[in-house]
Amino acid sequence: MTPRLCGWCLLLVWTTACEASSVTREPEAVSVYTLKNARGMEVRVIDYGGIILSLKVPDRSGHFADVVLGYEALADYERSSPYFGAIIGRYGNRIARGRFTLDGQTYTLATNNGPNHLHGGVKGFDKVVWDVAPFERGDSVGLVFRYTSPDGEEGYPGTLQATVTYTLTDRNELVFDYHATTDRATPVNLTQHSYFNLAGDGTNDILGHVVTLNADRFTPVDSTLIPTGEMKSVSGTPFDFRTPTAVGARIEQVDQQLRYGRGYDHNLVLNKGSDTLAAQVYEPTSGRVMEIATTEPGLQFYSGNFLDGTLRGKHGAVYRHRFGFAMETQHYPDSPNKPAFPSTILRPGEQYRSRTIYKFTVQP
Ligand code: GLA
């Protein structure tokens, strides 16, 4: 049996009143797409931000549950989402003080995270409507998202043609392929910002999830979460996940880096080698396992520290402190200002390509 694409339908219309001006927006259609594979795994996605609304995967006894956090109403995604499920661009993560210099010219970006620029700015790729083209192949089904980011958008130089492909395979893999070209040199660092809770339905914290990270080093940060530039060994620190360790095992240790991040909110420098996984997360009560493979050099492990119980999500769930985690595969934060980090600059004539695979399995 091959996976099925269950078509699309109208999700909602925007009727949100714009508080500042008391103007009501014109209703605008947003489409929801459902991908299903031969083993019953299901992903629901919208064209607004490429947001993954739900992701249903089986536990060790074959029971399916939704393992991502999110909202029921589009208005909530528009109003106050901490990037639930969205594509992030042009630059995932932070750029110090919203400034960088490229080819002798200084560019100024929005400072939307304390003194820094975060996740592409005020209206990043998580808040634009993408063109979507569904496809079906022998053993997979998917969606191609396209967006042209105009020259100067959010302060970034050059017109960027971005393509992000989500593929669901019959091997229970969700594959993200990123591609971009530009007509002027620009930083690019695309990622996906789903929040996971592998126990299902986001009704408990993720501290019991057991994490393995294939990283000997991480990039320590200052108090505003900008890397100092050092690539520090994880040995002897709470960032050593080279052997499987529960998220909660060391998260409350007295440690300056944990204090700055309010928990884990750090970029790991991934070890590279043939066929090595970047990360694995195991949830003991359900047996669900998420394996992450990526072409990217880094991974931001975020333990949902900013969730504080003020956001009400799907099925009335209240997302309390650390009820979800993100594993954002990426280049390192603030690379445009860190010449020693791998470059994030895309130039005309070059192709930006990046691939990340989240694979779902179970342990007995
Ligand atoms: C990223 C950042 C976090 C936080 C979340 C969104 O993971 O590193 O600090 O901003 O996005 O809330």
Side-chain angles (χ1 to χ4, degrees), residues 5 8 87 119 188 234 240 269 292 302 328 336 341 350 361:
L5 178 74
W8 58 274
I87 298 170
H119 291 336
V188 186
V234 296
D240 189 349
V269 176
I292 303 172
Y302 172 54
E328 304 151 56
F341 285 178
E350 295 176 348
T361 63

Side-chain angles (χ1 to χ4, degrees), residues 8-22:
W8 58 274
C9 61
L10 193 67
L11 172 71
L12 283 169
V13 289
W14 287 347
T15 52
T16 327
C18 174
E19 284 167 22
S21 59
S22 301

Side-chain angles (χ1 to χ4, degrees), residues 29 121 144 235 271 291 349:
V144 180
S235 285
N271 301 333
E291 295 175 353

